[in-house]
């Protein structure tokens, strides 16, 4: 790769060669982010990229259809300066929950609110809703830390925000996402099944719900209770502070490495 190292998260400018097809040539000059580095059976290296600003990047496995483009290493130009450097620590902030089940919609609402704010380099915010399989695949895209935003009842006053770090070693070894719900434990188990290495660190920013539904109700309930809606606003600085701590800790660990 001519001394250039690529990893998920590296921002590049696309420079298709003359041998490229017309679809790739049409992307000349576009900015993209490296999604994966792959090698074929003949030993050729291919860099999978997602165009900057493409909302389809959050579709997990589905993003591989029509949203990922493959280029040879010499068809990419790393962006100069800090903006082109690969982030030392990559964080995925994922809103999870069902917006049709009252306060279970906290995660998607919180992710939407946070996404309106500028994020530090290496931090990506997305609303995954109930797309558990997509989230499981996304967790394996080279992230160092995954922060889940979710409604988590644990006996506190409604609207209480807390940070939970589950012990991944004690979670079930297998799991499959449900069609109309998002169970983070099952998503983590599925990611473990799909991956061939260690999972990223997982943190959960939980909000105590006031209205709880189990999915068996006849009617849907769209909208958050007042305490949880107020918690959505508080969650933005709460998560931003958590992200600052995560990135600061990562920087200190990098500096102290031998």
């Amino acid at each position: 790769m001519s001394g250039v190292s690529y990893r998920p998260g590296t921002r590049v400018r696309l420079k298709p060669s003359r041998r490229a097809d017309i679809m790739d040539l049409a992307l000349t000059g576009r900015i993209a982010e490296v999604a994966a580095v792959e090698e074929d059976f003949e030993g050729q290296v291919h860099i999978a990229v997602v165009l900057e600003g493409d909302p389809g990047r959050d579709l997990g496995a589905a993003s591989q259809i029509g949203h990922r483009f493959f280029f040879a290493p010499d068809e990419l130009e790393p962006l100069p300066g800090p903006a082109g450097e690969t982030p030392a620590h990559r964080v995925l902030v994922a809103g999870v929950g069902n917006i049709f089940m009252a306060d279970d919609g906290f995660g998607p609402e919180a992710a939407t609110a946070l996404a309106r704010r500028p994020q530090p380099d290496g931090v990506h915010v997305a609303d995954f809703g109930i797309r558990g399989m997509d989230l499981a695949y996304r967790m394996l895209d080279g992230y160092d830390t995954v922060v889940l935003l979710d409604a988590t009842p644990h006996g506190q006053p409604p609207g209480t925000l807390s940070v939970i770090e589950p012990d991944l070693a004690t979670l079930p070894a297998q799991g499959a996402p449900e069609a109309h719900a998002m169970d983070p434990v099952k998503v983590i188990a599925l990611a473990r099944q799909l991956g061939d290495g260690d999972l990223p660190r997982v943190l959960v920013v939980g909000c105590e719900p006031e209205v709880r539904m189990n999915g068996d109700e006849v009617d849907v309930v769209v909208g958050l209770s007042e305490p949880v809606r107020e918690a959505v606003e508080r969650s933005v600085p709460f998560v931003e502070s958590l992200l600052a701590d995560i990135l600061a800790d990562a920087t200190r660990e990098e500096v102290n490495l031998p």
Side-chain angles (χ1 to χ4, degrees):
M1 294 190 195
S2 303
V4 179
S5 177
Y6 294 101
R7 60 164 288 187
T10 302
R11 294 179 69 241
V12 297
R13 189 183 309 277
L14 305 181
K15 301 178 63 176
S17 66
R18 293 181 179 179
R19 67 180 181 273
D21 61 31
I22 191 169
M23 294 296 293
D24 286 348
L25 289 172
L27 300 177
T28 299
R30 294 286 299 273
I31 305 301
E33 180 179 305
V34 173
V37 179
E38 302 180 4
E39 185 174 339
D40 62 24
F41 291 111
E42 298 177 351
Q44 297 295 315
V45 174
H46 304 275
I47 312 294
V49 303
V50 180
L51 297 179
E52 189 168 78
D54 181 1
R57 65 180 294 179
D58 299 325
L59 295 177
S63 70
Q64 298 181 33
I65 303 175
H67 292 275
R68 290 191 177 193
F69 301 89
F70 289 85
F71 292 89
D74 60 3
E75 296 180 298
L76 303 178
E77 175 191 349
L79 295 183
E85 297 174 359
T86 300
H89 195 90
R90 299 181 68 226
V91 184
L92 172 64
V93 182
V96 301
N98 193 330
I99 61 172
F100 298 109
M101 292 177 58
D103 287 344
D104 195 56
F106 164 79
E109 292 281 1
T112 299
L114 185 64
R116 298 191 187 105
R117 307 263 293 183
Q119 300 302 322
D121 190 29
V123 174
H124 180 62
V125 181
D127 167 19
F128 282 86
I130 58 173
R131 295 182 285 112
M133 181 166 290
D134 291 343
L135 175 56
Y137 275 105
R138 190 73 164 136
M139 288 177 65
L140 302 175
D141 271 356
Y143 289 100
D144 301 288
T145 302
V146 175
V147 178
L148 303 179
L149 311 180
D150 192 19
T152 54
H154 49 278
Q156 300 296 315
T160 300
L161 296 175
S162 57
V163 179
I164 305 165
E165 182 165 8
D167 184 353
L168 302 186
T170 65
L171 298 181
Q174 296 183 341
E178 301 171 4
H180 302 291
M182 168 71 89
D183 184 341
V185 172
K186 293 182 178 179
V187 170
I188 293 171
L190 178 60
R192 182 185 286 124
Q193 290 176 253
L194 296 171
D196 56 3
D198 293 334
L199 291 178
R201 179 189 185 192
V202 177
L203 298 173
V204 180
V205 173
C207 176
E208 183 74 33
E210 182 176 65
V211 180
R212 298 175 58 183
M213 302 176 66
N214 58 25
D216 296 330
E217 294 82 1
V218 176
D219 298 323
V220 300
V221 178
V222 179
L224 305 176
S225 65
E226 187 59 33
V228 173
R229 178 158 297 283
E230 187 271 337
V232 168
E233 300 303 319
R234 288 188 288 108
S235 73
V236 173
F238 187 91
V239 175
E240 289 178 336
S241 176
L242 175 63
L243 292 173
D245 290 343
I246 293 171
L247 297 177
D249 289 344
T251 299
R252 283 193 290 269
E253 289 177 5
E254 185 178 17
V255 170
N256 293 331
L257 287 176

